[in-house]
């Protein structure tokens, strides 16, 4: 493998921004040079003057729909979109067809990842009401975590048996990632709104059905169980101000047993956007009030929330463009998640260092990923080069997603991803994908 020198970049890493150069050899970061250093002569030299060099982002929650739902997306198409957006590693959810609820089905997905993924990959094992013994066979060094749907969503893998939940939290030694929405509350709300509005139910009431109370009731149950049994709990896609009261920022991330994820769409959109975007921002949990969005932003800055992810969950537009009760929840985000976060930096909401911390460093620390997520010598060279002056406007026709649409369609961003490296190989450069690159299976220091 040839060596690559990326020189004159503004590197952002571990709370600091500094100008320097970085050497890639054998797929690893071999050296990081300060600005004044004498640089070696290498096979490939990339002049990154005026550009930002970041660790590749790590997305701990995606739905790439393979196997079984590949009319919506597949590992090849969505990993290409991910690397084009600066995401070099992902962790994918079990609600495919077949569901990843046996070791056999889980390992079949890893074979697909090895064959097709341009980014590094891991896949969650899915819990059900009756597969505890299968879940306990999972090797925590090879799998990112166990996914528990404490609220139903696409694929309906709802775990609602109280005794099962108790056993899962008391016996599983590895990270438990939860989707928390109280099913009884949602069904009650849905019945009320269906009776009132019928088939013409406006999308703006989605956060009243998938309500704050539904989220909090379920999240509080998960936290109670994790506290009782000292479980490693990671609550996915937190969407409400109220749920922040369940988290704490008194410990460093590496010592936390209960952690929280926030998704880009809950940091960007609010209830005021439903009349304009409708089905395109119908997610579970729902995008809620501006006050919730603002509280989530503050929660990220003060470390109540630990990581930023996408919950990338594509559906075809013809599926989405139905009446409220028929339209599935979820949307594609991996190609523009980093750009959206950088736009929030430009707006003064976050610092560039915070974005790198929450999208790159923190997922690696939280999941104990081996040698990724940082600009450090000896670490895998998963890198993204951002041009802060290459503005672009997103349109449906230009996206890489198989579903061919984006909730950010029409949105202008000041930045662009110029290049992305996965394990030292440049997989994306100025709009072009290198289809020969393959990511690696993530490994974990359990």
């Amino acid at each position: 493998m040839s060596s690559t020198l990326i020189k004159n970049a503004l590197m952002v890493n571990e709370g600091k921004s500094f100008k320097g150069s970085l050497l890639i050899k054998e797929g690893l970061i071999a050296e990081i040079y300060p600005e004044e250093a004498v640089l070696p002569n290498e096979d490939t030299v990339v002049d990154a003057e005026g550009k930002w060099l970041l660790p590749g982002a790590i997305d701990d929650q995606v739905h790439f729909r393979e196997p079984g739902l590949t009319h919506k997306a597949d590992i090849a198409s969505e990993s290409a979109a991910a690397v084009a957006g600066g995401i070099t590693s992902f962790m994918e959810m079990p609600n495919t067809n077949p569901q990843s609820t046996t070791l056999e089905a889980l390992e079949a997905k890893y074979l697909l990842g090895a064959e097709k993924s341009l980014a590094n990959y891991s896949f969650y094992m899915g819990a059900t009401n009756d597969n505890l013994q299968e879940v306990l066979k999972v090797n925590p060094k090879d799998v990112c975590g166990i996914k528990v749907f404490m609220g139903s969503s696409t694929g309906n893998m709802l775990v609602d048996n109280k005794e099962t939940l108790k056993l899962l939290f008391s016996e599983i030694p590895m990270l438990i990632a939860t989707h928390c929405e109280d099913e009884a509350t949602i069904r009650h709300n849905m019945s009320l709104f269906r009776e009132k509005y019928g088939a013409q139910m406006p999308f703006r009431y989605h956060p009243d059905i998938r309500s704050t109370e539904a989220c909090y009731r379920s999240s509080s149950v998960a936290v109670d169980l994790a506290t009782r049994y000292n479980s490693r709990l990671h609550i996915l896609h937190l969407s409400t101000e109220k749920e922040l009261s369940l988290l704490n920022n008194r410990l460093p991330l590496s010592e936390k047993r209960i952690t929280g994820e926030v998704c880009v769409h809950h940091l960007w959109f609010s209830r005021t956007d439903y009349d304009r975007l409708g089905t395109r921002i119908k997610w579970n949990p729902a995008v809620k009030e501006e006050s919730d969005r603002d509280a989530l932003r503050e929660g990220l800055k003060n470390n109540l929330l630990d990581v930023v992810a996408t919950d990338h969950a594509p559906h075809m537009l013809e599926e989405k463009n139905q009446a409220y009760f028929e339209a599935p929840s979820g949307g594609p985000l991996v190609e523009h998640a980093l750009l959206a976060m950088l736009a929030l930096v430009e707006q003064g909401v976050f610092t560039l260092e915070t974005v790198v911390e929450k999208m790159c460093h923190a997922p690696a620390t939280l999941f104990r990923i081996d040698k990724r997520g940082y600009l450090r010598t000896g670490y895998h060279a998963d890198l993204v080069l951002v041009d802060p002056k290459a503005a672009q406007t997103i349109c449906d026709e230009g996206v890489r997603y198989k579903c061919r649409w984006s909730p950010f369609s029409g949105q202008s961003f000041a930045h662009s991803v110029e290049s992305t490296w996965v394990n030292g190989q440049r997989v994306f450069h100025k709009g072009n994908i290198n289809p020969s690159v393959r990511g690696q299976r993530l490994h974990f220091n359990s």
Side-chain angles (χ1 to χ4, degrees):
M1 185 181 293
S2 64
S3 59
T4 299
L5 178 69
I6 305 170
K7 67 178 187 178
N8 303 324
L10 180 73
M11 288 190 270
V12 185
N13 188 58
E14 300 186 68
K16 299 178 181 178
S17 297
F18 58 95
K19 193 167 183 182
S21 303
L22 183 146
L23 177 62
I24 302 170
K25 280 190 174 181
E26 301 298 324
L28 303 177
I29 299 172
E31 194 68 61
I32 296 173
Y33 302 94
E35 183 177 9
E36 65 276 7
V38 176
L39 300 176
N41 294 317
E42 300 299 333
D43 301 322
T44 302
V45 176
V46 176
D47 190 349
E49 184 70 42
K51 313 292 173 55
W52 302 343
L53 186 64
L54 320 177
I58 300 172
D59 192 343
D60 75 354
Q61 186 185 184
V62 303
H63 302 261
F64 282 0
R65 305 303 194 197
E66 188 171 5
L69 302 167
T70 53
H71 70 285
K72 303 174 190 281
D74 56 53
I75 291 171
S77 65
E78 308 312 283
S79 66
V83 297
I87 293 171
T88 55
S89 299
F90 64 84
M91 303 174 215
E92 206 263 355
M93 289 298 166
N95 52 336
T96 48
N97 185 16
Q99 297 170 343
S100 304
T101 54
T102 66
L103 283 182
E104 182 181 13
L106 182 63
E107 287 304 318
K109 287 180 80 169
Y110 277 104
L111 292 175
L112 288 172
E115 177 188 353
K116 298 184 176 185
S117 182
L118 281 74
N120 306 308
Y121 51 89
S122 191
F123 299 94
Y124 287 88
M125 178 71 163
T128 70
N129 280 320
D130 55 10
N131 75 334
L132 176 62
Q133 294 309 309
E134 194 76 5
V135 166
L136 290 172
K137 297 175 186 176
V138 173
N139 185 344
K141 291 184 180 295
D142 294 332
V143 176
C144 52
I146 308 301
K147 175 64 181 289
V148 180
F149 285 90
M150 294 175 67
S152 63
S153 193
T154 301
N156 196 3
M157 292 176 60
L158 179 65
V159 179
D160 56 358
N161 183 293
K162 291 183 179 180
E163 187 62 26
T164 297
L165 287 170
K166 176 183 173 180
L167 290 170
L168 288 169
F169 277 82
S170 63
E171 296 192 26
I172 292 174
M174 60 192 298
L175 181 143
I176 301 171
T178 56
H179 176 133
C180 289
E181 293 182 285
D182 182 69
E183 192 68 15
T185 301
I186 292 168
R187 289 177 180 173
H188 173 73
N189 293 342
M190 190 173 293
S191 176
L192 294 177
F193 278 87
R194 190 187 292 273
E195 183 178 350
K196 183 173 182 179
Y197 291 101
Q200 301 309 309
M201 159 81 175
F203 283 89
R204 75 175 76 97
Y205 297 118
H206 187 52
D208 297 309
I209 291 177
R210 298 263 172 177
S211 64
T212 293
E213 194 58 35
C215 294
Y216 182 81
R217 283 186 179 182
S218 183
S219 295
S220 61
V221 168
V223 169
D224 285 346
L225 286 165
T227 302
R228 187 184 314 164
Y229 298 110
N230 196 31
S231 314
R232 284 182 64 199
L233 168 65
H234 185 49
I235 307 175
L236 301 171
H237 43 44
L238 287 153
S239 62
T240 73
E241 180 177 9
K242 188 173 183 179
E243 288 170 290
L244 297 180
S245 66
L246 300 170
L247 306 174
N248 82 75
N249 55 6
R250 296 184 296 275
L251 295 173
L253 177 57
S254 60
E255 296 179 20
K256 286 186 179 184
R257 300 291 290 178
I258 298 174
T259 51
E261 171 208 273
V262 63
C263 289
V264 172
H265 47 284
H266 292 123
L267 295 169
W268 185 276
F269 299 104
S270 72
R271 182 195 282 270
T272 61
D273 295 306
Y274 280 104
D275 285 346
R276 178 172 60 92
L277 294 170
T279 186
R280 288 189 178 224
I281 61 166
K282 187 189 180 196
W283 280 283
N284 298 339
V287 168
K288 296 184 174 66
E289 309 297 333
E290 287 187 47
S291 58
D292 291 302
R293 181 196 64 191
D294 294 344
L296 294 170
R297 291 175 175 183
E298 288 302 311
L300 194 65
K301 288 189 283 189
N302 67 25
N303 295 322
L304 285 174
L305 292 166
D306 301 292
V307 300
V308 172
T310 67
D311 193 15
H312 173 88
H315 300 280
M316 301 305 290
L317 267 182
E318 54 264 34
E319 296 171 319
K320 290 286 282 183
N321 288 338
Q322 300 184 78
Y324 171 83
F325 289 109
E326 284 72 45
S329 294
L333 275 172
V334 289
E335 192 171 356
H336 307 117
L338 177 59
L339 295 182
M341 292 301 292
L342 294 178
L344 293 177
V345 171
E346 188 178 38
Q347 295 171 25
V349 177
F350 302 117
T351 66
L352 183 55
E353 292 80 9
T354 295
V355 169
V356 170
E357 170 66 29
K358 298 299 185 177
M359 297 190 78
C360 312
H361 303 335
T365 298
L366 194 160
F367 284 86
R368 306 172 184 174
I369 303 172
D370 189 48
K371 293 183 178 179
R372 299 189 191 274
Y374 293 83
L375 302 183
R376 292 176 177 170
T377 56
Y379 273 52
H380 298 279
D382 299 333
L383 310 167
V384 55
L385 190 64
V386 172
D387 188 338
K389 296 182 179 178
Q392 59 177 304
T393 300
I394 309 306
C395 63
D396 285 352
E397 295 75 20
V399 301
R400 296 179 184 276
Y401 311 128
K402 197 170 188 178
C403 67
R404 306 304 297 168
W405 66 275
S406 167
F408 289 117
S409 186
Q411 176 68 46
S412 294
F413 291 121
H415 313 79
S416 291
V417 171
E418 181 173 297
S419 295
T420 305
W421 287 263
V422 171
N423 303 305
Q425 299 183 79
R426 187 149 65 174
V427 64
F428 175 78
H429 181 57
K430 292 186 175 180
N432 296 309
I433 292 283
N434 179 353
S436 67
V437 172
R438 289 295 176 271
Q440 297 177 1
R441 182 171 181 163
L442 297 177
H443 293 284
F444 306 89
N445 302 312
S446 62

